[in-house]
Amino acid sequence: MRRITGMAREETLIEMKSAMDSQIGDRCHRWEQVTQVLLDLHQHQDGPAMLTAFRMILLTEECNGHSHNNSIEDGGTQLPGHTETDRLQQNKDTVFFRDGVRRIDFILSYLDDKDGEKKQERRREFEANLKKAGLELETEDKSDSDDLKTYFLKIHAPWEVLATYADVLKIKVPFKESDIPHGQDVPLEWLSRPFRLPEKVMRPQPDYFTSPFDKDKIDFFLIKNQDTFFPPSTRNRIVYYILSRCPYHKEDRKETDKKGIKRLLNNGTYTSAFPLHDCRYWERNTNEQCESERYHLYKNWARFLCFYKEQPLNLIRKYYGEKIGIYFAWLGFYTEMLFFAAVMGVICFTYGVLSYDDNLTSKEICDPSIGGRTVMCPLCDKKCSYWKLNSTCLSSWQSHLFDNEGTVFFAMFMGIWVTLFLEFWKRRQAQLEYEWDLVDFEEEQQQLQIRPEFETKCTDQRLNRITQEMEPYLPLPKKCGRFCLSGVTVLFWMLLIVACITGVIVYRLAVYAAFASIMKDSPTKKIHLVGSLITPQLATSVTASFINFVIIMILNFFYERVAIWITDMEIPKTHLEYENKLTMKMFLFQFVNYYSSCFYVAFFKGKFVGYPGNYTYMFGKYSRLRNEECDPGGCLIELTTQLVIVMTGKQVCGNIQEALLPLLRNWWCSRKARKDQYSRWEQDHDLQNFSQLGLFYEYLEMVIQFGFITLFVASFPLAPLLALCNNILEVRVDAWKFTTQFRRPVAAKAHNIGAWQEILNVVAILSVVTNAFIMAFTSDMIPRLVYLYAYHPGSEATMSGYINNSLSVYDISQIPLLSTPEEGAIPAWFNSSFITTCRYRDYRYPPGHQRQYSHTMQFWHILAAKLAFIIIMEHVVFVVKFFVAWLIPDVPSEVKARIKRERYLIQEYLHNYEVEKLKIQLSQSFIIEPKPEVCTATDKHHVLSECL
């Protein structure tokens, strides 16, 4: 395509003047020439030349006594729907070519490098091959771009190309309007009206029976308008299919690896490739042919004020494709199911609040005559002193809010809720598969396409047994070496996480003594006030949780890059294999990173402490770092604190990163987008690119949250409520990002959530085990029940005396010198003449007993009860889970019936279509053939009809 500059421009103007000065009898022919020259000038955006040419036209018409308008009325050439002035002063905020008819299906951008001769050669060959494939191209010069550097190549797929590749890809298209009603009337339907969206938004197009497109049976399908028959999402998917397979080598060279837009993007030949949004998100498109679906999505879906409204899933699918639609369908369904878990969690928490006054255990701890007279043994060596039990009064009350009888019921409910969520999602997924024509869907060929990186890095070739063509492959020794290096790297980072967690534990052990010395009796009222509200255990737990959260975020930041690097190093062959490998690496790391601290508090803290005189030390006796003990009320409140800080902190940081940081960019782009000459392709070019792994991080964030509310929900019943509030915001934040911050992604098909489904199933099974162990070993529920029904001294079963029963006695005089409190640490109320023993949390025989300091029989009874509870709870929940999974079919019976009916109708309509087509052919042959052969044709018609 030649550029009209310099001498070429002068020659064009001279040519144009001579054409107008010549004595051409036909005015129409003269105006066709003039129009063609103007189009050439306008195509290269040569402003001065266009102005000169236009003046010459006016002068010539004035000399001839004619006006420009009269020439058009007399039959001059004019583009459909446009005047000459419109063509010269075109509105660039459009999704059409300059002619206003052909729709832009894809945009490629590139920079014209001075030293990029190879890139120019690749572009020439690539664009030439695109034209051979039937695509139509139009270039926007860099002088019209905002940065004066970027060229934009507009691509349009005509009907012939769309029909051909729709046949190749077996894209389902409508052939008959559906006669199946949407659904039955629901009782009290008026209650859901405030949450509904307009019908035209929820169902942007009628329901049809569909069949794979067949180019040879055009009249079988409901084709009213060829320009709008294929929606924009299907059009850009077809164009991308062509772009990803189009070669950029010359015909005389057989370089099979040189093909595809992805390789051209990787080597910098093109800077970006994307389909266009149909309009600005805050206003409709002025062109009536444009659907303005982006505007409707923003208005009815992406704004936070619509948080209580249902999602327009059909419109999302129509605009973005099935893969993104299935993500938002899953996220919305997960949020809806969280509502029931949140309600039960609030009920459980409310029960803890209402039974606050009936908590005899906390009353005994806070009672000055019981807890105030109970002297506890030091919690650390030297720096810690003796302390009174009633100093943990507040934490015991807090612990009761989450550690009560309702927690057991809630833990079992959540085990069943997980099953219901997964089973009902399978049914919802099956319904979407039918509604979105994904019933017979197999993995899209585009997903199984060989990655350009694999073709580039794998120099070895071998014969493909199926295609009988040579293809690149990675030899087994190299593959094993890369896999081992990848595994060692992942193992190293997991050990690094364990080392960081160990460092946090050391911090807890070392800093506890400092908090204990600060919060003891002090003449400063301010410190005394803090000490009365916050115990050393709580202060240590809170600060350690914050430090652990910071470490988690730092490790997460670096490991994301390491995971991508080692996955690239493995050189996966296909995009699907790449995504699955990265998914497993990232989730395995995130699982250890986010949950390791919670596992420590739940299952290790306070379990290996020992007893006074024989404490267990973390790094040996001389390290003086004694293993942590739990409060007399249990470790559950510390697990709750850890869970709240990590879970809430992650959600807050995630929302800030997703929503608040892009606001400045969005504000600037919105101001910039209001310029009249800011074209549609430039607006989208300035947006963020939606990468292939864009949905990966969205799924990962939600699955990590799913683990928090299932694995440790027994320690914090309000976790589903926090997740529900976060997800209500998350849906709108993600919608806002897709609508306003990202370029329009290429539509892709997906009939499920992929590998995440199996990960959710594993987390669901593991959650039953973890919650059973939390209730047995972290909660104080089982020891209280054993005391209530087996060891209460009176005839009436009450919890009075439980605190005294759960604390063992130790002789102060037998405490080793290394553990004896320093003189400065001993409080003023402590009198060694009167206080000879201290208490500690365990079930051991008292001093003077023949088996002193060994475990009592009650300890073994409690241990047996804990193990029995774990076995019973797991079996009950698993039996109910499997029964519910068996009871609820994965595919609803209504969907099965619709699928069968659609298949029946397809066969019936195809049969009738073929019969009618055959009748027409036979009737035409009957008219043409001579009379003696009429009987033969009639007999032939009869025989074929009988066969059909």
Side-chain angles (χ1 to χ4, degrees):
M1 192 175 293
R2 69 189 183 107
R3 185 172 300 171
I4 305 179
T5 56
M7 294 296 297
R9 178 176 59 189
E10 295 178 1
E11 293 175 359
T12 304
L13 293 177
I14 294 172
E15 177 186 350
M16 177 180 172
K17 186 176 186 304
S18 61
M20 290 187 297
D21 291 341
S22 63
Q23 300 298 324
I24 302 175
D26 191 352
R27 292 170 50 84
C28 296
H29 182 61
R30 185 175 77 243
W31 271 103
E32 286 177 0
Q33 289 184 341
V34 172
T35 304
Q36 184 60 43
V37 174
L38 278 174
L39 280 174
D40 291 338
L41 293 172
H42 179 67
Q43 186 172 2
H44 297 282
Q45 298 296 318
D46 199 335
M50 288 173 59
L51 182 59
T52 304
F54 195 73
R55 288 174 178 172
M56 292 170 65
I57 294 171
L58 294 180
L59 288 173
T60 304
E61 289 302 306
E62 288 177 1
C63 293
N64 294 332
H66 298 287
S67 66
H68 177 66
N69 292 333
N70 290 336
S71 67
I72 295 178
E73 291 173 2
D74 292 340
T77 303
Q78 180 183 352
L79 294 175
H82 287 264
T83 65
E84 296 294 327
T85 305
D86 291 337
R87 190 169 64 223
L88 293 175
Q89 297 179 351
Q90 183 187 21
N91 178 18
K92 292 187 177 183
D93 189 20
T94 179
V95 293
F96 294 95
F97 275 24
R98 295 190 190 98
D99 57 16
V101 176
R102 292 174 295 174
R103 188 183 186 104
I104 302 173
D105 296 315
F106 227 88
I107 291 288
L108 303 181
S109 67
Y110 61 91
L111 300 175
D112 191 7
D113 300 330
K114 294 181 180 179
D115 300 328
E117 295 182 0
K118 290 185 178 180
K119 295 180 181 179
Q120 292 178 6
E121 179 66 22
R122 294 192 200 111
R123 282 195 292 267
R124 276 196 298 269
E125 296 297 331
F126 187 68
E127 293 172 15
N129 289 327
L130 289 180
K131 291 180 180 179
K132 291 178 182 179
L135 298 179
E136 298 176 2
L137 311 179
E138 189 175 78
T139 305
E140 290 291 331
D141 193 77
K142 65 178 181 180
S143 60
D144 293 321
S145 64
D146 190 63
D147 58 1
L148 301 178
K149 298 178 181 178
T150 307
Y151 289 89
F152 292 96
L153 178 66
K154 299 179 284 188
I155 302 175
H156 167 75
W159 167 256
E160 278 298 319
V161 175
L162 294 174
T164 300
Y165 283 93
D167 193 355
V168 172
L169 297 175
K170 300 301 178 185
I171 294 175
K172 290 188 175 183
V173 294
F175 68 90
K176 181 184 182 298
E177 192 165 351
S178 175
D179 57 358
I180 301 177
H182 296 320
Q184 301 177 352
D185 294 336
V186 181
L188 301 177
E189 185 180 2
W190 57 273
L191 291 175
S192 61
R193 288 178 184 173
F195 308 101
R196 292 185 177 180
L197 291 173
E199 185 68 16
K200 64 179 181 180
V201 176
M202 290 302 299
R203 298 187 180 276
Q205 56 188 4
D207 288 340
Y208 295 101
F209 291 120
T210 59
S211 176
F213 186 80
D214 190 343
K215 190 178 179 181
D216 297 330
K217 301 174 182 177
I218 294 293
D219 51 345
F220 175 71
F221 303 101
L222 296 177
I223 303 177
K224 298 178 181 179
N225 186 348
Q226 291 184 351
D227 294 335
T228 59
F229 180 67
F230 293 107
S233 58
T234 303
R235 297 175 67 99
N236 71 56
R237 185 160 70 94
I238 291 175
V239 173
Y240 187 74
Y241 182 87
I242 299 173
L243 291 175
S244 62
R245 287 159 177 78
C246 183
Y248 55 89
H249 58 80
K250 294 183 178 180
E251 292 182 358
D252 55 346
R253 299 180 184 177
K254 293 185 178 179
E255 299 171 296
T256 57
D257 59 328
K258 290 188 175 182
K259 63 178 181 180
I261 187 62
K262 290 186 179 180
R263 292 203 64 180
L264 292 173
L265 291 172
N266 290 338
N267 59 33
T269 303
Y270 291 99
T271 56
S272 63
F274 54 91
L276 286 180
H277 284 293
D278 58 2
C279 65
R280 297 172 179 174
Y281 66 85
W282 65 84
E283 63 182 0
R284 298 175 185 268
N285 198 310
T286 55
N287 193 327
E288 295 181 356
Q289 299 178 11
C290 190
E291 301 83 358
S292 298
E293 292 175 346
R294 185 189 188 192
Y295 166 76
H296 291 298
L297 285 171
Y298 177 75
K299 178 182 177 182
N300 299 285
W301 178 51
R303 295 187 304 165
F304 182 73
L305 295 178
C306 302
F307 72 93
Y308 62 94
K309 296 281 188 179
E310 58 185 338
Q311 294 190 87
L313 294 178
N314 289 318
L315 185 58
I316 298 170
R317 173 248 181 174
K318 184 173 181 286
Y319 191 75
Y320 291 112
E322 288 80 2
K323 190 172 185 179
I324 293 177
I326 207 76
Y327 163 72
F328 280 103
W330 176 82
L331 180 58
F333 184 81
Y334 171 48
T335 304
E336 291 173 4
M337 290 296 293
L338 275 176
F339 173 78
F340 302 101
V343 170
M344 293 304 301
V346 171
I347 292 175
C348 178
F349 180 76
T350 304
Y351 173 81
V353 174
L354 296 178
S355 60
Y356 204 69
D357 295 333
D358 300 330
N359 182 16
L360 293 178
T361 303
S362 297
K363 287 184 177 180
E364 289 185 354
I365 292 176
C366 299
D367 191 349
S369 60
I370 301 176
R373 294 183 179 181
T374 303
V375 178
M376 304 296 294
C377 297
L379 294 174
C380 64
D381 294 343
K382 294 295 184 180
K383 298 294 182 181
C384 299
S385 180
Y386 306 99
W387 53 285
K388 293 183 179 180
L389 181 61
N390 63 351
S391 63
T392 62
C393 176
L394 182 60
S395 63
S396 68
W397 284 111
Q398 294 171 346
S399 179
H400 175 73
L401 296 176
F402 308 106
D403 188 8
N404 52 65
E405 293 80 2
T407 308
V408 180
F409 168 77
F410 183 67
M412 299 183 70
F413 168 81
M414 287 301 296
I416 300 172
W417 175 86
V418 170
T419 305
L420 292 174
F421 163 63
L422 295 177
E423 292 301 320
F424 281 124
W425 165 244
K426 291 178 183 178
R427 291 171 61 86
R428 175 62 174 150
Q429 190 171 257
Q431 185 178 359
L432 290 175
E433 285 182 17
Y434 168 74
E435 293 179 356
W436 293 355
D437 294 327
L438 301 171
V439 174
D440 300 322
F441 172 77
E442 297 180 358
E443 288 298 339
E444 195 175 3
Q445 297 180 10
Q446 185 175 328
Q447 290 293 332
L448 299 176
Q449 182 187 1
I450 295 178
R451 298 173 63 240
E453 295 84 355
F454 183 84
E455 296 176 338
T456 305
K457 296 179 182 179
C458 297
T459 57
D460 297 298
Q461 299 278 329
R462 69 178 177 184
L463 183 67
N464 189 313
R465 296 180 180 179
I466 300 175
T467 61
Q468 293 298 312
E469 294 180 357
M470 299 300 293
E471 66 175 9
Y473 84 105
L474 189 65
L476 185 61
K478 292 183 180 180
K479 185 181 292 185
C480 292
R482 292 173 182 272
F483 179 78
C484 292
L485 181 59
S486 174
V488 170
T489 305
V490 174
L491 182 62
F492 167 78
W493 277 86
M494 289 187 179
L495 293 177
L496 182 61
I497 296 173
V498 174
C500 292
I501 295 300
T502 304
V504 174
I505 295 172
V506 171
Y507 164 83
R508 299 169 71 109
L509 299 177
V511 173
Y512 177 80
F515 279 115
S517 61
I518 291 175
M519 294 182 181
K520 63 178 183 168
D521 292 346
S522 172
T524 306
K525 294 182 178 180
K526 184 176 180 180
I527 297 178
H528 181 76
L529 177 62
V530 174
S532 64
L533 297 177
I534 303 177
T535 62
Q537 292 95 329
L538 182 59
T540 303
S541 178
V542 171
T543 55
S545 298
F546 275 109
I547 293 174
N548 181 65
F549 174 71
V550 173
I551 293 174
I552 286 174
M553 300 306 293
I554 294 174
L555 290 177
N556 187 40
F557 174 79
F558 286 106
Y559 182 77
E560 282 186 7
R561 287 146 182 82
V562 173
I564 294 175
W565 174 75
I566 59 178
T567 307
D568 290 337
M569 182 193 62
E570 292 181 20
I571 320 179
K573 183 176 182 180
T574 65
H575 296 287
L576 187 62
E577 183 181 353
Y578 181 90
E579 190 170 341
N580 289 339
K581 286 187 174 183
L582 183 61
T583 298
M584 296 308 300
K585 290 182 180 65
M586 284 296 296
F587 178 75
L588 193 60
F589 175 83
Q590 299 274 21
F591 185 91
V592 178
N593 194 23
Y594 280 105
Y595 303 145
S596 56
S597 59
C598 293
F599 271 101
Y600 164 74
V601 176
F603 305 124
F604 295 97
K605 182 180 178 180
K607 307 300 185 294
F608 311 100
V609 177
Y611 60 92
N614 190 24
Y615 282 117
T616 304
Y617 292 83
M618 187 172 184
F619 300 110
K621 190 171 183 180
Y622 294 98
S623 66
R624 300 179 65 180
L625 294 175
R626 266 170 46 186
N627 287 348
E628 286 186 282
E629 297 183 39
C630 294
D631 279 335
C635 277
L636 195 69
I637 188 63
E638 292 191 44
L639 178 59
T640 303
T641 304
Q642 181 76 23
L643 181 64
V644 169
I645 292 176
V646 176
M647 178 180 173
T648 306
K650 181 185 182 302
Q651 292 180 350
V652 171
C653 290
N655 289 328
I656 291 175
Q657 183 179 1
E658 290 183 1
L660 296 183
L661 293 181
L663 281 179
L664 183 60
R665 172 189 174 89
N666 181 54
W667 171 78
W668 170 251
C669 290
S670 297
R671 288 185 58 196
K672 192 177 180 183
R674 293 181 182 276
K675 297 180 181 179
D676 295 335
Q677 297 302 317
Y678 193 45
S679 63
R680 161 66 25 223
W681 42 90
E682 286 184 273
Q683 294 177 40
D684 288 5
H685 181 265
D686 290 343
L687 296 177
Q688 300 179 47
N689 181 43
F690 182 77
S691 65
Q692 186 184 6
L693 299 176
L695 286 180
F696 167 80
Y697 293 104
E698 304 296 340
Y699 276 117
L700 180 63
E701 180 184 1
M702 288 296 102
V703 171
I704 293 296
Q705 182 203 83
F706 181 80
F708 277 122
I709 68 166
T710 53
L711 295 174
F712 308 103
V713 72
S715 66
F716 187 48
L718 294 181
L721 179 63
L722 293 180
L724 175 64
C725 297
N726 174 81
N727 286 10
I728 291 174
L729 179 63
E730 181 73 20
V731 171
R732 305 303 161 178
V733 169
D734 287 349
W736 175 76
K737 286 194 307 181
F738 274 92
T739 310
T740 66
Q741 299 299 301
F742 287 139
R743 297 172 187 164
R744 185 173 183 173
V746 179
K749 284 185 174 293
H751 67 290
N752 55 35
I753 60 177
W756 300 108
Q757 182 78 36
E758 297 303 321
I759 291 177
L760 291 175
N761 290 330
V762 172
V763 173
I765 294 174
L766 184 61
S767 67
V768 178
V769 180
T770 56
N771 282 300
F773 272 85
I774 287 173
M775 293 306 304
F777 289 98
T778 309
S779 169
D780 213 29
M781 180 61 59
I782 302 301
R784 290 202 297 262
L785 292 176
V786 171
Y787 174 80
L788 181 65
Y789 294 107
Y791 285 91
H792 186 268
S795 57
E796 184 179 356
T798 62
M799 290 301 297
S800 60
Y802 168 73
I803 291 298
N804 183 63
N805 176 266
S806 63
L807 298 177
S808 299
V809 181
Y810 192 83
D811 189 354
I812 292 177
S813 61
Q814 297 179 2
I815 295 179
L817 183 62
L818 291 176
S819 301
T820 303
E822 298 175 349
E823 293 185 2
I826 298 177
W829 54 264
F830 182 81
N831 190 340
S832 58
S833 302
F834 297 97
I835 302 175
T836 57
T837 60
C838 64
R839 311 295 294 270
Y840 61 98
R841 192 172 187 266
D842 206 344
Y843 294 91
R844 297 179 182 270
Y845 289 109
H849 194 275
Q850 59 181 357
R851 298 180 59 190
Q852 66 176 2
Y853 306 137
S854 62
H855 286 118
T856 64
M857 188 57 65
Q858 185 177 357
F859 170 84
W860 300 110
H861 287 168
I862 292 175
L863 181 61
K866 289 180 177 179
L867 297 177
F869 173 81
I870 292 173
I871 295 173
I872 293 173
M873 179 178 173
E874 287 183 356
H875 281 69
V876 169
V877 174
F878 279 133
V879 167
V880 174
K881 279 171 64 70
F882 292 130
F883 176 74
V884 170
W886 171 81
L887 186 65
I888 301 175
D890 293 344
V891 182
S893 57
E894 182 182 0
V895 173
K896 290 181 179 179
R898 291 188 176 191
I899 293 174
K900 291 179 180 178
R901 172 162 176 75
E902 183 165 335
R903 288 174 177 171
Y904 166 77
L905 284 175
I906 291 174
Q907 294 177 356
E908 182 182 15
Y909 273 80
L910 281 174
H911 172 268
N912 294 337
Y913 172 81
E914 295 293 344
V915 170
E916 293 298 328
K917 189 175 181 179
L918 183 59
K919 286 181 179 180
I920 294 174
Q921 293 176 355
L922 292 176
S923 62
Q924 291 175 352
S925 64
F926 174 78
I927 295 173
I928 296 173
E929 290 177 354
K931 290 184 178 180
E933 299 182 3
V934 171
C935 295
T936 306
T938 306
D939 294 338
K940 184 179 179 182
H941 185 189
H942 176 73
V943 172
L944 289 174
S945 299
E946 290 292 326
C947 292
L948 289 173

